[in-house]
Amino acid sequence: MNTPGLHVVVTDANLVPLRAELEEALPPGTEVRWLDDTAPEAVETAVAQADVLVSQAVPPELASAAKRLRLVHAPGAGTEKITVDGLPPGAQVANTFHHEDAIAEHVVAASIMLRRGFLRQDSALRKGIWDSAAYDREAPWPGTLADATIGFVGFGHIGETAWERLRVFGARGIAVTRRGQVDPAVGLAWAATNDDLDVLLAESDIVVVSAPLSPETTGLIGAAELARMGPESVLINVGRGPLVDEEALYKALRDGVVAGAAIDVWYEYPTSGNSAQPSRFPFHELQNVLMSPHSSGIARQTYTRRVADIAANIQRLAAGEPLRNVVAVAE
């Protein structure tokens, strides 16, 4: 039997452009309130009467206000900012992904730009310098992806999807993960646990970092690890900034310990608005860094699919059916 009149509160601003699509896909009679998460008192008042909260973050005070909440649906993969312990008993926490396609495109684009030296050549040609072996005998001959070994530090949704795209170019792939278990069908040359990180770094021309951040993986790649990569290798971080030591990465790029990096995830973020330096080090002054504002997964396709997941789970909740992508249940 359907449960009529579900009350849903949405606080994620990223979903506002898809407001009509989400509301149209919800069960008939659903009441939806769209609130700004920068107005915590209004959110707490609304959540006190809500059955569902769509939000990436639930601080303790908001969890305490959620007296009748049955579902917290994160509009993305991360649920580390949701205070599960403070939620009503039985409340479920679910998430959704779909960013892997967009991030995989970013990884492919960054791999080609950095490996072929396009970033450096663009900067040089703007000054009238033709940085190419065809015009400068001292300029390096770049390698293609067909000649590259791609090393994946972490091989979940993002790593596997990126590898699906990269292997089309003829690249060789290797990976390390926490458990070291990877389906042989994906076509990697080898996969192992993080204990073999040094081996992976030494073999790789391109290192793609997408491991989850935890106390164990914070600073996983530091000065010693970057040195093992070698001066012709590049690093692409689409996981979390602190997976790679901030100071060590800056110095390695500045001093030519590695050839370059594409950094999409950072060490400092805006607390409000869209202005903030992403690091205490001047990465922006380096010519061998491709910088992006944690945008590799941001695409309309990503959020269209996420909205579909959220609406489908709310439909299941209304119908009394098991939810999908449940990552935690409050006790």
Side-chain angles (χ1 to χ4, degrees), residues 2-288:
N2 287 354
T3 302
L6 286 177
H7 292 264
V8 177
V9 173
V10 184
T11 66
D12 192 283
N14 291 316
L15 302 185
V16 172
L18 296 169
R19 177 173 181 167
E21 288 90 333
L22 177 60
E23 292 186 356
E24 184 178 350
L26 294 176
T30 301
E31 178 185 322
V32 186
R33 295 193 63 185
W34 295 77
L35 297 172
D36 188 341
D37 60 6
T38 61
E41 291 185 3
V43 173
E44 288 179 20
T45 299
V47 167
Q49 303 300 319
D51 302 290
V52 179
L53 171 62
V54 180
S55 177
Q56 205 72 45
V58 182
E61 57 274 16
L62 183 57
S64 298
K67 304 299 183 184
R68 52 181 275 186
L69 208 60
R70 299 164 60 192
L71 169 63
V72 177
H73 210 307
T79 59
E80 67 274 5
K81 295 182 179 180
I82 297 174
T83 307
V84 180
D85 292 345
L87 296 173
Q92 299 179 76
V93 177
N95 67 352
T96 180
F97 294 87
H98 300 301
H99 54 277
E100 57 269 18
D101 286 341
I103 295 177
E105 288 186 1
H106 174 92
V107 170
V108 171
S111 296
I112 294 171
M113 288 186 69
L114 293 171
R115 177 134 173 98
R116 295 285 301 278
F118 291 154
L119 194 65
R120 183 191 70 249
Q121 290 174 343
D122 175 86
S123 177
L125 195 55
R126 292 173 188 275
K127 303 172 185 176
I129 306 299
W130 292 59
D131 183 2
S132 164
Y135 299 95
D136 181 354
R137 292 184 178 181
E138 295 185 1
W141 286 96
T144 67
L145 291 183
D147 299 323
T149 293
I150 316 292
F152 293 91
V153 181
F155 200 72
H157 290 85
I158 295 170
E160 186 169 349
T161 305
W163 171 235
E164 287 176 2
R165 309 297 192 268
L166 287 163
R167 70 184 297 192
V168 174
F169 292 90
R172 172 177 178 262
I174 58 180
V176 293
T177 69
R178 184 170 63 87
R179 296 182 179 179
Q181 297 174 347
V182 173
D183 185 348
V186 301
L188 293 174
W190 59 261
T193 67
N194 289 338
D195 291 341
D196 283 317
L197 175 62
D198 287 353
V199 178
L200 177 137
L201 296 174
E203 285 191 21
S204 298
D205 300 294
I206 300 168
V207 175
V208 179
V209 182
S210 63
L213 183 65
S214 69
E216 292 73 29
T217 59
T218 297
L220 183 67
I221 297 178
E225 288 74 24
L226 290 164
R228 290 186 179 93
M229 288 175 57
E232 296 183 358
S233 63
V234 299
L235 182 140
I236 300 171
N237 190 0
V238 290
R240 289 291 185 269
L243 290 166
V244 184
D245 183 84
E246 182 180 12
E247 182 174 4
L249 178 58
Y250 172 75
K251 289 182 176 179
L253 290 163
R254 181 195 64 188
D255 299 340
V257 175
V258 296
I263 311 173
D264 185 56
V265 286
W266 292 94
Y267 306 93
E268 302 290 341
Y269 282 79
T271 55
S272 63
N274 66 347
S275 297
Q277 289 299 324
S279 170
R280 58 195 174 96
F281 293 97
F283 283 93
H284 61 280
E285 295 178 357
L286 303 176
Q287 299 298 310
N288 55 350

